[in-house]
Amino acid sequence: MSQSESQHAESHNIENMLHEERLFPVPKAFKPQVSFKSEEEYLAAWNHAKDAPAEFWGQIAKENLVWETPFETVMQGDMPETKWFQGGKLNASVQCVDKHIGTARQNKAAIIWEGEPGDVRVLRYQDLYREVCKFANVLKTLGVQMGDRVTIYMPMVPELVIATLACARIGATHSIIFGGFSADAIADRNNDAKAKLIITADAGWRRGKEVSLKKTVDESLAKAVTVEKVVVYRRTGCDVEMVPDRDYWWHELMAKAQAECEPTPLDSEHPLFILYTSGSTGKPKGVLHSTAGYCLGAAMTSKWVFDIADTDTYWCTADVGWITGHSYVVYGPLSQGASILMYEGAPNWPDEGRFWQLIEKYRVSIFYTAPTAIRSFMKSGDQWPQQYDLSSLRLLGTVGEPINPKAWMWYHTIIGGERCPIVDTWWQTETGGIMLSPLPGVTATKPGSCTKPLPGVVPAIMSEEGEPLGDNEGGLLVMTQPWPHMLRTLYGDHERFKETYFSKIPGLYFAGDGARRDQDGYFWILGRVDDVLNVSGHRLSTMEVESALVSHPSVAEAAVVGFPHDLKGEGICCFVTVNTSTANPGEDLKKELINHVRKQIGALATPDQVRFAAALPKTRSGKIMRRLLRDIAAGKETIGDTTTLEDYNVVAKLRTEDE
Ligand code: WT7
């Protein structure tokens, strides 16, 4: 190959050099309860769904959803305009509650809840049913109708789930906003959705402090013109101002509400919810999900990936304000009749052992959390989990970003006692449910890989030009077939929807991640393609450099960004937080880390700068805000949207450390 040819070829693909060779078979102790039991079973289902998707999904939808009116067709139209289960009518709240009433599950705990101060509530399926019906009636008496949008801005209390399902019951489209967002962020989202009503609470508990919510809502209402009424749940009892004829107490309305409420039969494509997610630029995107397709996806993936059985106590630590909470706290597990644990507060309150203490106390068997949480637990030390009995755990999961092999190994040994499969689940707000993941009773795992596509998911790795790439070639991760739980549009902006997800490779779904598939058919996510560095003409995944850094014993967490470099085009800048045991990191450690990365990946990946930081700037969902770090690395003032930043002081500190 001539030099120009080779440069041409390189520019298409993402270099990937960190290859993890360890393979972990399904632990002997793990017996799948309701999920796939063998590789053959999985392959048969996967091939069936690929070759005859309408037949596959049609059969599954008949068996797994409760229909008021059966559907006539399974899928109609090409991606992105595919309509699913046309002619059918159903209600999402029926799939989560009514379905279990009159069965042995009606007296089973649906929600086991613990507040941050330690208060405990248990709602059986019958209790949840009654509360959802009552609150659905409350919404009706406040004038909410089918098709209206309702905003929910609440702490992690059972009433958050009740409000969500009550909206679904009357066909109001819910828009849940995470309780950490600012008044401006709420106002923008309310205006975009033209929300009629907002459900909130006086405050919630976080690290021993009251986080006021009603006050923030009040502030947002000065700018949100469509909101007519506010319902306030009393959680902490703090003082709030109630505006007559606008603000109503939850408990006063509920005291008068009827206990029965017929679910409204809704079209399969009826908009179940809008969830706002930030793009790299511009205003937040209102991802809209449907009723039938979304519910089916949440139900099936909960069954296949989490293997939820009646004997399980299931805990997904995500806030309901994120898609993970929608799909794997509410719609998925409740459709399976699961007993879910829900916890209000912070993982490190009153100390770093809180999560492990909760697992011991409630005998949690399935635990689903994020790599960023795992890394922060690792940083605080093994002595915390080691104080507790974690033997009830049988299955572990992760989501949100690639998990570096070091954190995977820690999760596997220290938390899972080497007896629990780890399901590394790749998906997005837009995909509605898990797309790539191990099946816990079938798939041998490789630390750092989300392994293989679930049935119904047909991914491909392509070059920028839309050419399929071969084994171990890094490229764009696309979906070549529609699936029931994919987003239907961006609320109010169908053009932006088509442009954002279906234009890079025309006709195929692409939502921004790079990946490679190895020789065994395993997928390795290389991060967002906007996080790709271009060092001397080589596209290099920032995630690989981060993973190499984190594999060094002194490093707790790392974030890598590019900065303009005269010679290389882009230089590599590494922000590193060290373990608590590493005192005063200095020049020696910097040199050591640079060599470490060189050794792990190669000379091409040699960091140009290493900067030690006390903490990294993260969004409230735990994603590192690389855009901010890029600005710092380039010596620029920070511009753009920082409304999702968890702790703004972190940025200020990084700047001063720079000077
Ligand atoms: C992005 C989606 C889906 C729930 C939480 C985040 C990254 C997610 C993984 C994983 C590697 C992952 C991707 C994706 N991501 N899960 N298991 N391995 N990367 O939802 O905010 O919509 O973010 O998170 O980059 O595109 P989201």
Side-chain angles (χ1 to χ4, degrees), residues 582-622:
T582 312
N584 303 323
E587 289 307 314
D588 287 349
L589 184 58
K590 274 189 194 174
K591 277 197 201 114
E592 201 178 310
L593 291 178
I594 290 169
N595 282 330
H596 183 72
V597 173
R598 259 182 94 101
K599 232 171 60 201
Q600 293 268 308
I601 307 183
L604 176 65
T606 309
D608 298 281
Q609 300 180 30
V610 174
R611 301 185 186 200
F612 296 112
L616 299 174
K618 287 192 192 150
T619 64
R620 293 192 174 99
S621 61

Side-chain angles (χ1 to χ4, degrees), residues 162-185:
I162 293 164
T164 303
L165 294 174
C167 287
R169 196 162 189 87
I170 65 169
T173 301
H174 57 74
S175 162
I176 307 181
I177 302 177
F178 172 64
F181 278 111
S182 67
D184 279 351

Side-chain angles (χ1 to χ4, degrees), residues 53-126:
E55 191 181 280
F56 176 82
W57 287 114
Q59 191 181 335
I60 279 187
K62 259 186 226 155
E63 288 166 7
N64 289 275
L65 292 178
V66 181
W67 294 91
E68 174 72 26
T69 308
F71 52 89
E72 285 152 17
T73 56
V74 177
M75 48 198 291
Q76 276 183 321
D78 291 334
M79 208 156 49
E81 310 294 349
T82 315
K83 303 270 178 283
W84 290 82
F85 311 116
Q86 291 286 283
K89 284 189 186 289
L90 76 172
N91 186 287
S93 75
V94 170
Q95 320 304 323
C96 298
V97 255
D98 305 46
K99 188 169 106 180
H100 310 302
I101 304 305
T103 78
R105 283 178 183 150
Q106 66 182 358
N107 280 317
K108 190 183 162 182
I111 301 175
I112 302 165
W113 175 84
E114 186 161 317
E116 197 186 73
D119 40 342
V120 176
R121 288 165 61 195
V122 178
L123 281 86
R124 301 167 307 151
Y125 272 95
Q126 288 197 56

Side-chain angles (χ1 to χ4, degrees), residues 245-273:
D245 298 325
R246 190 197 75 180
D247 300 351
Y248 301 83
W249 284 111
W250 173 292
H251 58 270
E252 288 178 3
L253 296 168
M254 287 293 266
K256 291 182 278 184
Q258 292 281 323
E260 287 298 326
C261 174
E262 281 300 313
T264 306
L266 300 164
D267 288 341
S268 292
E269 289 289 329
H270 184 80
L272 177 61
F273 65 85

Side-chain angles (χ1 to χ4, degrees), residues 138-291:
V138 164
L139 290 173
K140 283 188 191 167
T141 56
L142 293 177
V144 179
Q145 292 172 354
M146 179 176 113
D148 287 341
R149 270 83 51 218
V150 170
T151 294
I152 303 176
Y153 180 72
M154 293 181 91
M156 280 286 281
V157 292
E159 281 67 21
L160 169 52
V161 179
I162 293 164
T164 303
L165 294 174
C167 287
R169 196 162 189 87
I170 65 169
T173 301
H174 57 74
S175 162
I176 307 181
I177 302 177
F178 172 64
F181 278 111
S182 67
D184 279 351
I186 302 171
D188 286 349
R189 287 158 176 74
N190 275 338
N191 289 336
D192 189 78
K194 299 185 192 67
K196 192 167 179 181
L197 180 133
I198 175 158
I199 307 162
T200 187
D202 51 358
W205 290 108
R206 189 89 186 163
R207 295 197 181 89
K209 290 203 187 79
E210 280 173 274
V211 178
S212 54
L213 298 173
K214 174 62 165 62
K215 219 183 268 168
T216 310
V217 166
D218 287 342
E219 216 182 296
S220 80
L221 287 182
K223 289 184 197 155
V225 287
T226 61
V227 177
E228 295 162 14
K229 294 191 164 103
V230 181
V231 180
V232 187
Y233 174 70
R234 185 178 273 157
R235 162 63 185 132
T236 66
C238 68
D239 275 346
V240 297
E241 217 175 289
M242 297 292 278
V243 176
D245 298 325
R246 190 197 75 180
D247 300 351
Y248 301 83
W249 284 111
W250 173 292
H251 58 270
E252 288 178 3
L253 296 168
M254 287 293 266
K256 291 182 278 184
Q258 292 281 323
E260 287 298 326
C261 174
E262 281 300 313
T264 306
L266 300 164
D267 288 341
S268 292
E269 289 289 329
H270 184 80
L272 177 61
F273 65 85
I274 302 168
L275 182 58
Y276 286 90
T277 176
S278 39
S280 42
T281 52
K283 66 176 179 111
K285 301 178 285 195
V287 170
L288 186 128
H289 279 288
S290 71
T291 298

Side-chain angles (χ1 to χ4, degrees), residues 324 399-402 424-429 513 525 528 623:
T324 307
V399 62
E401 56 182 311
D424 175 348
T425 63
W426 178 89
W427 58 296
Q428 305 171 306
T429 304
D513 281 6
I525 304 296
R528 310 285 302 168
K623 284 201 173 28

